[in-house]
Amino acid sequence: MNSEELKKIQTPLKDKYREAPDSAVYTLKAKGKLGEGISCKVETGRALADAGLHPATGGNGMFACSGDLLLEALVACAGVTLGAVAASIGINIKEGFVRAEGDLDFRGTLGVSKETPVGFKDIRLFFDLNSDADEEKIQTLLKLTERYCVVYQTIVSGTKIDTKIVNSSVLG
């Protein structure tokens, strides 16, 4: 997709959102069903993803761990965002790869050490791009990708999450 095609699609949406800001607010949803053993079948909208314990916490390695899914969501979002930004600012990417890796200390997750935080300690996001763009354009591409990537911004901002348990008769 080139810049003109992207603008043709996004311009009416941007105009609508400027005129009616509330129309830009969407609620995205995810749903899962607890499965056999310690697993959860997550409906992704397109398929089911089976999630389970990571082998470092006693899992058998047959299921995706939620940490993997988080990194995969980051890679997917960053890749799509980078592609859209590149098209928007006129950078031709001949080929590109996105990779994320993160460090977890499972002592926190397993309650072995109360001093060890639960969650990723560090996440690294890599873009391997084949492009004719100069270094200044590439740095602009990176900055704008970071700025507009929903998953990246959610992670770095530490978004508040409200949790509650509801009676199963209420679930639909």
Side-chain angles (χ1 to χ4, degrees), residues 21 23 26 29 50 54 56 71 76 78 96 100 102 108 115 138 161-162 168:
S23 70
Y26 288 79
K29 298 178 181 182
D50 287 321
H54 187 278
L71 294 177
E115 294 77 36
I138 293 294
I161 300 176
D162 294 319
S168 64

Side-chain angles (χ1 to χ4, degrees), residues 108-152:
T109 301
L110 290 174
V112 171
S113 167
K114 289 184 173 151
E115 294 77 36
T116 303
V118 176
F120 283 100
K121 182 177 127 184
D122 293 297
I123 296 176
R124 293 167 297 284
L125 183 61
F126 303 93
F127 299 95
D128 183 5
L129 305 177
N130 181 348
S131 173
D132 294 333
D134 64 26
E135 186 59 29
E136 185 178 336
K137 276 268 208 189
I138 293 294
Q139 288 308 310
T140 298
L141 176 62
L142 180 60
K143 279 186 182 178
L144 292 175
T145 298
E146 290 173 347
R147 179 175 178 185
Y148 295 115
C149 177
V150 171
V151 175
Y152 177 91

Side-chain angles (χ1 to χ4, degrees), residues 13 39 47-48 50 77-79 81 84 90 106 135 141 148-149 159 168 170:
L13 293 170
S39 69
L48 287 177
D50 287 321
C77 189
T81 303
F106 285 105
E135 186 59 29
L141 176 62
Y148 295 115
C149 177
T159 301
S168 64
V170 177

Side-chain angles (χ1 to χ4, degrees), residues 71-93:
L71 294 177
E72 290 163 2
L74 176 59
V75 164
C77 189
V80 169
T81 303
L82 181 126
V85 170
S88 181
I89 64 176
I91 293 178
N92 179 34
I93 298 175

